[in-house]
Amino acid sequence: MLTIKTEEVTDEGFPMAEFWKRKDTVLVCGGSIPCIREAYVLAVEKNKTDRLAYVPLTEEDYVLGTAEERISEKIRSVSRRKGVEVIIFYLSCPDILIRMDFKHMEERLSRETGKTVRCFFRGPLGKAEKGYEKAEDFVKHLPPDREEAVEEVPLLPPPVADCAGISDWFMQEGTANILLTPAGCRSCMVHMDMMAGQEHVYYTKTEERDYVFGMEETTETQTEELLKSGELHHFALISSAVPSFTGMDGETTAARIAKSAGKEGIFFEADGFHDILWGVSRAERKWAENLRLLPKEGNKKTVLILGYSPLLCGDIHQYDACIRFLRKEGLTPLFSGRNEMTALPSLLWVVSSAGLSAAQYAAESCGIPLLISCPVGDHAFSMWQKHVRNLVSAGQGKAVLKIHNMDIPHTRKEKVLLVGDPVHTMAAAHALWHRGFSRLRLGAYAWTAEDRSLYEMAPGSDWVRYFKTEAELENLGKEADMVVADPLLQPFFKGKEFIPFPWGALSGRKALLPGGGIMGHVIWEKLQKL
């Protein structure tokens, strides 16, 4: 078992850095989100996003055989950009596992596009292929660089992957988070998508036979050895693209380890093709299903906070005022994925869209009152306090934060677009509404249909417009005078007044500013100045 620790991004170990020495070359990435995001992270660091393109594939694309055509279409699209002469398809583990005919792809697409199209084997599976070459040898077979700059086009950031997101959410003390992966899927966690200082995060040391015969035995052996440490009392197995693609039985594996080691364990399913929102949502829902087995609270009343993780929400200290109020009311705040539950909570408090599914399940199956609200500003905080008291007192019911007072004078005419998690952007919109803004629109990045289904559960979802492509986001921006969004999205809003609202689901741990988050002082100070 190997440890995952954070590092700064450097060129070392990244073949793409060698390819980007050329001016006429674009990399096209497929595979799961970690395959894409690894390349994106370095492209942002080196200001080379114009030299990268990616295909947002699904596991079904690989299973049903549509992946190759979708990749081919992206290569054709890139070939039409001015200045592009060489296109390198940056192979991923799923591409290799389904045994695409890479030679035929190179020949066919080179002929169709009139450009040089080559496939580069990368990752732990790629390095085991007979056709593998090191990047410095690979470039020797390319035609001379034409030295013409490639046409720049804005590139949507691929979001944090489900597997990385689950590890970010599940931080129980004394628990080992074990990412089941042949090394590659850990890279973007190391460089961008894991909190600095986070401990007890590991990944499996695999061999080629594990991809043929399954990762179960290797996982069991290595996890049992790890758990011999007295400081670890629990473990979480977190799947990724390769074990999911090869059909690993994670539930049975976790049960066997728990029985053998005498430790509590859980398996969180992730396929690497879904993002942090869906990953945390599914994991938290599974965790919440155990609530129905708990007794009702005794003398100690608790509030279960759902949907929080640093990457999804920002600095945990943004909730300090709310936490102080809860404790003053005799309520103990507990965060899902961080604190253990010993009894049914008195209230469910949802702070992001990732918590909506678990909250809905717990509210309906256990009869727990539900509050969906991120109070931004004095008015919203006062309403939040009132809702907490009423719901706990009644022991039932539901309350949400949304724009409801239509009689407030509309003194500001600017069109404002707020992009992010609708639970968060509705909170900001509510605050702006009470400052006289009425022409508000919320934008949400729906990486998958599952993301959109979650967003549609959020309060005020009728205010939300969804986007998945660069063109859809640019169209949203055309309707706005001001934009509040993650800094990585700023290139889509040239000429607009832009207010940075860092979001870890896109910008990774670099978004985690002290006082950051929708309820933190960083964004509130900016909104108050409008």
Side-chain angles (χ1 to χ4, degrees):
M1 193 70 69
L2 302 170
T3 303
I4 302 178
K5 291 186 178 294
T6 59
E7 297 174 6
E8 291 303 309
V9 187
T10 66
D11 288 352
E12 187 177 354
F14 284 96
M16 66 195 87
E18 183 70 31
F19 304 147
W20 285 335
K21 291 177 181 178
R22 300 174 57 98
K23 290 186 177 180
D24 64 353
T25 301
V26 172
L27 268 62
V28 174
C29 298
S32 62
I33 293 178
C35 307
I36 296 167
R37 191 162 166 85
E38 175 194 48
Y40 178 80
V41 168
L42 187 63
V44 169
E45 287 293 316
K46 302 301 177 183
N47 195 29
K48 299 288 186 181
T49 55
D50 60 322
R51 314 288 293 285
L52 179 70
Y54 65 82
V55 191
L57 297 166
T58 65
E59 193 171 39
E60 289 74 20
D61 284 320
Y62 286 100
V63 174
L64 299 176
T66 55
E68 183 172 346
E69 183 50 39
R70 292 196 60 198
I71 293 164
S72 297
E73 184 51 45
K74 174 58 71 173
I75 290 173
R76 295 184 191 105
S77 174
V78 169
S79 74
R80 294 190 284 269
R81 286 169 54 186
K82 185 179 179 181
V84 175
E85 293 297 331
V86 175
I87 302 168
I88 299 174
F89 177 45
Y90 211 44
L91 297 176
S92 67
C93 292
D95 302 320
I96 295 167
L97 283 171
I98 66 169
R99 311 309 303 174
M100 287 183 184
D101 188 341
F102 304 119
K103 192 66 178 175
H104 174 69
M105 180 186 291
E106 289 177 340
E107 294 172 351
R108 174 173 55 84
L109 289 170
S110 294
R111 185 172 58 252
E112 286 183 23
T113 63
K115 312 293 182 180
T116 299
V117 178
R118 290 289 308 278
C119 296
F120 178 78
F121 291 94
R122 65 158 172 165
L125 270 65
K127 291 175 182 177
E129 290 288 311
K130 290 181 180 179
Y132 172 74
E133 286 183 296
K134 291 184 178 180
E136 53 266 32
D137 296 323
F138 184 89
V139 295
K140 293 176 182 177
H141 306 301
L142 298 177
D145 187 357
R146 296 215 180 170
E147 298 287 340
E148 183 178 352
V150 167
E151 175 189 359
E152 288 192 43
V153 294
L155 183 66
L156 269 177
V160 174
D162 50 6
C163 43
I166 293 169
S167 181
D168 181 62
W169 162 75
F170 200 67
M171 291 192 192
Q172 285 193 5
E173 187 176 352
T175 297
N177 283 354
I178 300 167
L179 183 65
L180 309 177
T181 175
C185 290
R186 60 176 260 288
S187 294
C188 41
M189 290 178 65
V190 167
H191 295 127
M192 199 169 187
D193 299 342
M194 189 173 82
M195 293 293 294
Q198 187 175 349
E199 296 182 340
H200 304 310
V201 183
Y202 307 88
Y203 69 102
T204 44
K205 185 177 181 180
T206 58
E207 299 177 1
E208 189 174 353
R209 65 182 299 276
D210 295 315
Y211 318 135
V212 179
F213 300 107
M215 293 177 61
E216 288 86 347
E217 183 179 345
T218 293
T219 300
E220 288 181 38
T221 302
Q222 294 182 22
T223 305
E224 288 169 8
E225 182 64 28
L226 176 69
L227 293 174
K228 289 179 181 178
S229 164
E231 64 180 333
L232 296 172
H233 311 295
H234 313 274
F235 68 92
L237 303 182
I238 305 171
S239 186
S240 65
V242 170
S244 174
F245 196 75
T246 55
M248 178 179 177
D249 186 350
E251 292 286 358
T252 300
T253 302
R256 285 177 179 164
I257 296 168
K259 183 177 180 181
S260 174
K263 304 287 179 81
E264 291 185 15
I266 190 169
F267 170 68
F268 290 123
E269 184 178 358
D271 61 13
F273 291 92
H274 288 81
D275 67 353
I276 181 174
L277 177 77
W278 184 243
V280 173
S281 174
R282 290 191 72 191
E284 190 172 51
R285 168 65 182 260
K286 181 174 184 177
W287 181 87
E289 286 173 358
N290 292 325
L291 293 177
R292 69 183 189 278
L293 305 176
L294 299 175
K296 289 189 176 181
E297 80 281 342
N299 296 327
K300 184 178 180 181
K301 291 189 174 183
T302 60
V303 175
L304 177 58
I305 302 168
L306 295 164
Y308 174 77
S309 84
L311 292 177
L312 282 172
C313 301
D315 189 350
I316 198 168
H317 292 294
Q318 68 185 290
Y319 306 103
D320 282 353
C322 294
I323 298 301
R324 286 194 295 270
F325 170 80
L326 293 175
R327 287 179 173 151
K328 185 178 178 182
E329 293 291 306
L331 299 164
T332 300
L334 299 172
F335 286 84
S336 75
R338 291 185 169 226
N339 305 117
E340 291 190 68
M341 301 293 299
T342 58
L344 282 179
S346 304
L347 177 66
L348 304 168
W349 175 25
V350 176
V351 296
S352 81
S353 294
L356 293 170
S357 178
Q360 184 180 67
Y361 171 83
E364 293 176 356
S365 63
C366 305
I368 308 171
L370 171 61
L371 173 59
I372 306 172
S373 172
C374 289
V376 176
D378 293 340
H379 173 76
F381 185 54
S382 175
M383 291 299 298
W384 178 86
Q385 292 173 311
K386 180 180 177 182
H387 289 320
V388 169
R389 289 193 180 107
N390 291 344
L391 290 168
V392 172
S393 175
Q396 61 181 354
K398 176 180 178 181
V400 300
L401 174 71
K402 62 180 181 180
I403 294 172
H404 56 276
N405 189 344
M406 299 300 167
D407 296 328
I408 292 176
H410 298 154
T411 58
R412 302 293 294 267
K413 303 303 180 183
E414 300 95 323
K415 297 177 182 177
V416 183
L417 171 66
L418 303 109
V419 182
D421 181 335
V423 172
H424 299 161
T425 52
M426 174 52 72
H430 181 273
L432 290 175
W433 185 269
H434 282 264
R435 295 180 64 80
F437 289 86
S438 62
R439 306 176 78 179
L440 304 169
R441 178 64 67 186
L442 314 184
Y445 191 1
W447 178 262
T448 63
E450 290 89 347
D451 287 344
R452 180 162 180 166
S453 69
L454 279 176
Y455 288 145
E456 288 174 345
M457 296 170 63
S461 59
D462 50 325
W463 291 66
V464 180
R465 292 185 62 181
Y466 305 96
F467 64 91
K468 185 176 181 179
T469 67
E470 287 86 354
E472 290 170 343
L473 181 57
E474 285 182 326
N475 285 335
L476 273 180
K478 290 177 182 177
E479 302 174 11
D481 302 311
M482 296 183 195
V483 178
V484 181
D486 186 273
L488 290 178
L489 301 181
Q490 188 166 4
F492 292 91
F493 307 112
K494 292 179 179 178
K496 308 289 182 180
E497 183 175 351
F498 188 86
I499 301 162
F501 176 30
W503 189 26
L506 298 183
S507 283
R509 63 174 174 264
K510 292 191 175 183
L512 302 176
L513 307 173
I518 192 62
M519 294 160 58
H521 64 80
V522 173
I523 186 65
W524 180 228
E525 287 174 0
K526 293 174 182 175
L527 294 177
Q528 283 182 306
K529 292 176 181 178
L530 293 181

